[in-house]
Amino acid sequence: MLARREMFPHVIEMNHQARQRMGCSVYLVHDQGEWGLIDIGYEDTAEEIIDLIRQMDFSLAQCKYLICTHADVDHIQGMKRAQELLPGAKLVGHPECARVLAEGDRI
């Protein structure tokens, strides 16, 4: 198991955890085994982030939410892939982002 590098209690920023820049700030918030992700970044780093989560011994089945702060490409482009990898998670975000998220808009 990879040691968790929390920035605050129950909050892991994935760039900080990886010790490298993987895109925007992606936050994993967890409590009592359940967790959620705030943003996911670009499509090409989504699987790398999910793999890092596995290495920290989080159960992928316990992801409850994928949260989109806004529809900028550097924050949500990888959400479609994240939904495929985390099918039990509920996707939430601002209603104005709904079309972009539903279509998996790459731009």
Side-chain angles (χ1 to χ4, degrees):
M1 180 174 100
L2 186 62
R4 298 174 182 176
R5 302 181 72 215
E6 293 186 341
M7 295 193 73
F8 304 100
H10 306 281
V11 178
I12 299 167
E13 199 281 322
M14 299 306 290
N15 291 310
H16 179 74
Q17 177 68 38
R19 297 183 176 131
Q20 68 178 1
R21 185 99 173 122
M22 296 189 299
C24 77
S25 294
V26 176
Y27 293 92
L28 184 150
V29 180
H30 65 96
D31 190 33
Q32 299 180 12
E34 296 182 338
W35 57 278
L37 282 179
I38 301 173
D39 292 336
I40 189 66
Y42 291 107
E43 183 178 53
D44 62 346
T45 58
E47 287 187 40
E48 185 177 358
I49 290 169
I50 301 299
D51 187 51
L52 189 56
I53 291 167
R54 277 191 198 110
Q55 290 176 40
M56 290 186 291
D57 204 31
F58 284 100
S59 168
L60 298 187
Q62 291 300 310
C63 180
K64 300 301 175 188
Y65 294 100
L66 295 170
I67 303 164
C68 303
T69 59
H70 58 287
D72 286 357
V73 68
D74 63 323
H75 287 259
I76 66 161
Q77 186 186 61
M79 276 298 175
K80 182 175 181 182
R81 183 65 184 135
Q83 285 183 289
E84 294 168 358
L85 296 169
L86 305 165
K90 181 178 180 178
L91 181 63
V92 295
H94 193 280
E96 291 181 15
C97 299
R99 181 195 57 79
V100 176
L101 293 169
E103 294 174 3
D105 190 348
R106 290 191 42 81
I107 299 171

